[in-house]
Amino acid sequence: MIESAIGYKFRDHLQETVLYEDQIVEHLVSGHIAERRAFPPRMVNDSIAYEGVQKQLKVASSIAHPCLPAIYGCDTVEGHFLYVQQHFDGETLELAAQRKSASKPEDWAMIATRLVDLMIDLQQNGVAIDRLSLLDIIISNSILLISKRSPVG
């Protein structure tokens, strides 16, 4: 059953696209919170897309960086391909911009500087992020974190 796949139970929806659904899940034993991405059966049946996601996960699993989520596991359950990754608490950069959480220009300058520094650090460590949106960047305790895992190298 998808509900308890990979040892996690559903808690809340994060986002849903045509390609996947992101969920907040809770580990059945430890109770720690994580994120689960569920791909529909049509993606599993598309060998090119399925192999591409598996390749990205293999690369992502091999990268240890404090600003990138750890991958906890993946599986195919009831035709759906699922993977679970570390959840970062915080506010997305998009929400911060909407709420104007960083109201002074120097706050935004600091965020931009930290993001550039983070991207340079990732690149120097062999991680290239193919694309980012404001939803992918989390501000947590004045630290910038990348919530998605889509490195290309």
Side-chain angles (χ1 to χ4, degrees):
M1 170 178 195
I2 293 175
E3 172 65 21
S4 61
I6 321 175
Y8 291 83
K9 67 179 179 179
F10 173 82
R11 292 227 9 222
D12 199 5
H13 290 279
L14 282 175
Q15 70 174 342
E16 190 168 348
T17 73
V18 224
L19 302 174
Y20 56 81
E21 178 184 356
D22 287 340
Q23 308 164 340
I24 297 288
V25 292
E26 180 181 344
H27 192 268
L28 294 170
V29 177
S30 71
H32 85 268
I33 303 300
E35 293 180 22
R36 177 170 62 198
R37 179 163 285 182
F39 294 91
R42 72 177 181 282
M43 193 281 291
V44 175
N45 295 330
D46 178 343
S47 63
I48 294 172
Y50 184 63
E51 289 171 16
V53 169
Q54 287 190 320
K55 182 179 177 183
Q56 283 186 338
L57 281 174
K58 184 177 181 181
V59 170
S61 296
S62 69
I63 299 167
H65 192 285
C67 293
L68 294 175
I71 303 293
Y72 295 143
C74 61
D75 201 357
T76 302
V77 179
E78 295 178 10
H80 292 76
F81 179 70
L82 312 164
Y83 74 86
V84 177
Q85 71 178 25
Q86 180 180 4
H87 173 69
F88 292 137
D89 277 329
E91 182 175 56
T92 65
L93 196 51
E94 179 179 69
L95 186 57
Q98 289 172 354
R99 295 176 2 141
K100 299 190 180 352
S101 296
S103 54
K104 298 179 266 178
E106 54 268 17
D107 292 341
W108 289 108
M110 178 203 57
I111 289 170
T113 301
R114 286 187 179 167
L115 181 57
V116 169
D117 289 345
L118 172 58
M119 298 308 287
I120 289 170
D121 181 50
L122 291 172
Q123 187 176 29
Q124 288 174 344
N125 285 292
V127 180
I129 305 289
D130 61 353
R131 63 191 166 286
L132 284 176
S133 78
L134 297 177
L135 289 170
D136 298 324
I137 302 164
I138 305 293
I139 303 170
S140 178
N141 299 323
S142 300
I143 298 170
L144 290 181
L145 306 161
I146 307 298
S147 67
K148 82 173 200 175
R149 282 287 208 154
S150 59
V152 290

